[in-house]
Amino acid sequence: MKISIVTAAYNSAATIKDTIDSVLSQDYPDIEYILADGGSKDGTVEILKSYGDRIRWVSEKDSGIYEAMNKAVKMATGHAVGVMGADDFYPDNQVISKVAKAFEDSKADSVYGDLYYVEAEDSNKIVRNWKSGKYDHNRFLNGWMPPHTAFFLTKAAYDTYGLYDTSFRSAGDYELMLRMLYRYKLSSYYIPEVLMKMRVGGKSNASIKNRIKANKEDRRAWEMNGIQPRWYTLYAKPLSKVFQWILK
């Protein structure tokens, strides 16, 4: 079973090598790694070139992260696709082996796990612990979502139900998972382990202003899918992150 990993990058020279090496060091034998770069000018492209045919990549101007991810997903040929940011990395070299086994054993449409946020300067220091827990259809109503970069979805699901909606600026990942798991009720399997480490500094959490914008996009994600959240759903979503700091 081939597993495809995709990354959207832009001016990521400071961290992209760690990300690529994290994928290439995995012990699973059948991995396809694809990067969509937005036309970086900081040396990112030179780093991509240095890996030769060990990775697939494209570098051209795009409208943002979701267009870049769509490009990479379209190029993917694996049974399932996992997304990782240009400054993310796996906690060990057995993550993809565990994910592939979970797909094989469960026959699920998606697989997900937990995530650590770590300090940008010291990746060994955990600042936030995103412990997902087992999936239940109604958990979305309580503000739940799986961590996007610890979420793997079959290519067939993308082909059938669509890619990322590029009209979103920060909640395209939430909309996609809401659409796949809640609207279309695709099956999911939870691996109770940390599958990704993410350096702090996500766009939607960068400021209160950005958090308000993200909340509006969350609301639009429900509306465009023709589904109704509970009155507290979109308040519970950011509040649930408080416990991720407590549990670190």
Side-chain angles (χ1 to χ4, degrees):
M1 177 187 293
K2 181 189 294 182
I3 304 293
S4 300
I5 309 299
V6 302
T7 293
Y10 181 68
N11 287 342
S12 304
T15 57
I16 194 66
K17 190 176 187 304
D18 287 346
T19 301
I20 296 172
D21 290 345
S22 173
V23 176
L24 297 183
S25 67
Q26 292 292 299
D27 67 359
Y28 189 70
D30 198 2
I31 296 176
E32 171 185 64
Y33 190 31
I34 304 167
L35 298 98
D37 176 72
S40 294
K41 306 296 183 183
D42 69 338
T44 297
V45 174
E46 286 67 30
I47 293 173
L48 299 182
K49 289 179 179 178
S50 72
Y51 285 90
D53 61 3
R54 299 177 70 194
I55 62 175
R56 297 172 62 196
W57 59 276
V58 60
S59 181
E60 59 189 19
K61 188 174 181 180
D62 54 52
S63 63
I65 188 170
Y66 297 121
E67 182 185 356
M69 287 196 288
N70 284 345
K71 287 180 185 178
V73 171
K74 287 177 183 178
M75 294 170 64
T77 61
H79 172 78
V81 180
V83 175
M84 68 189 308
D87 54 2
D88 301 345
F89 57 98
Y90 295 122
D92 56 59
N93 70 345
Q94 298 160 31
V95 169
I96 304 305
S97 291
K98 296 170 185 175
V99 169
K101 186 176 188 305
F103 272 111
E104 290 172 354
D105 292 348
S106 70
K107 310 302 181 187
D109 299 303
S110 62
V111 168
Y112 70 94
D114 302 330
L115 179 146
Y116 280 156
Y117 282 88
V118 298
E119 283 194 354
E121 297 78 16
D122 182 1
S123 61
N124 292 313
K125 187 171 182 179
I126 300 166
V127 298
R128 184 171 147 198
N129 180 2
W130 191 331
K131 194 172 181 64
S132 305
K134 289 185 178 180
Y135 177 66
D136 177 86
H137 183 67
N138 288 326
R139 290 191 72 189
F140 268 102
L141 293 170
N142 296 322
W144 180 88
M145 66 178 284
H148 181 222
T149 57
F151 178 77
F152 297 77
L153 182 68
T154 61
K155 181 66 185 309
Y158 281 108
D159 293 340
T160 302
Y161 300 108
L163 301 168
Y164 294 91
D165 188 316
T166 57
S167 69
F168 287 90
R169 304 311 301 167
S170 63
D173 48 349
Y174 178 64
E175 188 280 324
L176 180 128
M177 293 185 288
L178 179 70
R179 183 186 349 136
M180 298 293 180
L181 299 183
Y182 191 82
R183 177 180 177 183
Y184 291 114
K185 300 181 180 179
L186 299 188
S187 58
S188 198
Y189 181 86
Y190 171 53
I191 299 175
E193 297 183 32
V194 174
L195 301 184
M196 185 67 72
K197 287 188 173 183
M198 176 184 289
R199 291 179 173 90
V200 293
K203 181 177 180 180
S204 65
N205 298 308
S207 69
I208 293 176
K209 183 179 180 181
N210 282 344
R211 185 58 254 171
I212 292 172
K213 288 181 179 179
N215 190 262
K216 289 180 178 179
E217 288 205 344
D218 292 345
R219 187 175 301 279
R220 185 160 67 87
W222 286 81
E223 292 173 351
M224 69 183 299
N225 281 290
I227 47 181
Q228 182 66 41
R230 291 174 179 159
W231 68 267
Y232 56 81
T233 299
L234 300 175
Y235 301 102
K237 183 173 177 283
L239 286 174
S240 68
K241 297 181 180 180
V242 173
F243 296 100
Q244 296 170 14
W245 294 90
I246 294 173
L247 293 173
K248 69 178 181 177

